[in-house]
Amino acid sequence: MTTVAATTTETAALPKVKTDWLPALLVPILALAALPLVGSFSTWVTLTVAALAMGMMIFLMASGLTLVFGLMDVLNFGHGVFISFGAYVSLIALGPLAGWVESPNIWLNIAVLLACIIVAMLVTGALGYAFERVVIRPVYGQHLKQILITMGGMIVAEQMIHVIWGASPIPLRLPEGLRGAIVVGEAAMEKYRVIAVVLGLVVFGLMHLLLNRTKIGLLIRAGVENAEMVEALGYKIRRLFVGVFIAGSALAGLGGVLWAFYRQTLTAGMGMEVNVLIFIVIIIGGLGSIGGCFVGAILVALVANYTGFLAPKLALGSSILLMVLVLLWRPQGLYPVAKR
């Protein structure tokens, strides 16, 4: 008891760590550097807004997995399953609200989008709980087995989607009021992408407040840095693990809904297709870091969009090149947590 008290006193006496703003500044630096290369200001605005929307969706899909990596030390290669399931179960909400989808009223359209998100998060959260209990729990601390068993789970879940919804792609109609673009001057910004940016910022803000202003957030951050100490202080780290896994799965479902409306087509492998991109974002940001995941997702999306416009042949490799450059600069990622 004396040791714990002494440690707490010493920790309280430590000076506050200054915020490292340099990685976050890479976003505006990159955007401004691309402006003269793109040439047209209106084209630059369109590309930037589209990249921010894509970055927000990637962040939502990756944020839960980075916590699972950082806190639970679990290599979950089946994370894409929750993205696909989140997209498909949104059809449950779209059925009864078909009239709202066809309505030009933007508020009804947003209500449809929120209903799809709520249903997807509930279903994928429950699926995540079952996945953790059945698949993940027997292989804690065994990385090779985690890779094999989660990839196996991914294949089985993909076939389940084929059984339930069929193997053919399903078209997904974007609500009428969310179609089209907002024109400001000569710049055109798609309405849906603007909404995706706003929604992504709201979720990031809520996650930031949860992790930095609440007791559960303190325990999660402490668990990422030193799980043994959290256990020694009397907290059930296993329950925390399960809660984080459920939250991560629900966030993947949220990202899956946004990604489905973005593509306007449902396929069983849509979540697995972005798995590599998600892992790149997590590595760039730093395992276990929500802020790093946020910055990394935006950087990846900006580089992909600008490169796709300026040099289309290099677009496919742009994310890997960005990861290499970041790791040469900061081998542990942009915002590494302490134990990593």
Side-chain angles (χ1 to χ4, degrees):
M1 187 68 181
T2 306
T3 305
V4 174
T7 304
T8 307
T9 305
E10 290 173 7
T11 305
L14 289 174
K16 290 185 178 180
V17 179
K18 293 183 179 180
T19 303
D20 184 4
W21 291 105
L22 186 56
L25 289 175
L26 290 177
V27 173
I29 290 171
L30 176 61
L32 293 174
L35 177 56
L37 297 176
V38 173
S40 168
F41 180 74
S42 58
T43 304
W44 175 81
V45 170
T46 302
L47 288 172
T48 303
V49 172
L52 289 175
M54 182 179 176
M56 293 301 172
M57 287 183 275
I58 294 171
F59 163 71
L60 291 172
M61 291 185 282
S63 57
L65 185 57
T66 194
L67 280 180
V68 170
F69 260 153
L71 176 60
M72 303 172 68
D73 198 26
V74 170
L75 301 175
N76 181 17
F77 279 72
H79 188 72
V81 166
F82 304 111
I83 298 170
S84 297
F85 260 96
Y88 272 89
V89 298
S90 64
L91 297 173
I92 297 173
L94 285 176
L97 301 177
W100 290 12
V101 174
E102 301 297 331
S103 172
N105 187 319
I106 192 170
W107 296 111
L108 290 179
N109 297 156
I110 292 175
V112 170
L113 183 61
L114 292 177
C116 291
I117 288 171
I118 292 170
V119 171
M121 292 184 74
L122 289 174
V123 172
T124 53
L127 181 64
Y129 175 74
F131 197 82
E132 192 276 338
R133 295 271 299 188
V134 177
V135 178
I136 301 295
R137 185 164 295 189
V139 292
Y140 275 129
Q142 304 173 65
H143 290 161
L144 179 58
K145 289 185 178 180
Q146 288 170 5
I147 295 172
L148 294 174
I149 198 168
T150 54
M151 289 186 70
M154 176 184 70
I155 294 170
V156 171
E158 185 175 348
Q159 295 308 308
M160 286 177 59
I161 292 175
H162 287 160
V163 171
I164 298 171
W165 288 284
S168 301
I170 299 176
L172 186 67
R173 180 177 174 80
L174 191 65
E176 190 65 33
L178 303 183
R179 305 174 77 88
I182 301 170
V183 180
V184 180
E186 296 182 353
M189 299 173 289
E190 291 186 25
K191 294 177 184 177
Y192 179 71
R193 294 184 177 183
V194 172
I195 289 175
V197 171
V198 173
L199 187 58
L201 289 172
V202 169
V203 173
F204 173 69
L206 292 175
M207 291 183 69
H208 181 76
L209 289 175
L210 175 67
L211 291 171
N212 293 280
R213 302 294 180 183
T214 65
K215 182 177 180 180
I216 186 68
L218 175 63
L219 290 174
I220 291 173
R221 289 186 293 115
V224 170
E225 297 189 10
N226 195 329
E228 292 79 9
M229 180 59 72
V230 175
E231 280 280 1
L233 292 174
Y235 294 100
K236 302 287 186 180
I237 196 72
R238 182 57 60 85
R239 292 181 183 175
L240 195 62
F241 283 179
V242 176
V244 168
F245 200 93
I246 292 172
S249 304
L251 285 171
L254 165 57
V257 172
L258 295 181
W259 189 246
F261 279 112
Y262 183 80
R263 298 169 80 245
Q264 298 189 44
T265 304
L266 297 178
T267 59
M270 61 183 294
M272 285 61 87
E273 290 168 5
V274 295
N275 246 2
V276 173
L277 195 59
I278 289 173
F279 278 95
I280 288 174
V281 166
I282 292 172
I283 292 169
I284 288 174
L287 300 183
S289 171
I290 290 296
C293 180
F294 181 77
V295 175
I298 295 176
L299 285 174
V300 165
L302 286 173
V303 169
N305 263 27
Y306 293 145
T307 307
F309 178 79
L310 298 169
K313 292 183 179 180
L314 300 177
L316 288 175
S318 61
S319 300
I320 296 175
L321 178 60
L322 175 64
M323 180 178 68
V324 170
L325 293 175
V326 169
L327 294 181
L328 286 174
W329 175 41
R330 293 193 173 188
Q332 291 184 311
L334 296 176
Y335 287 107
V337 296
K339 78 172 184 179
R340 300 291 178 188

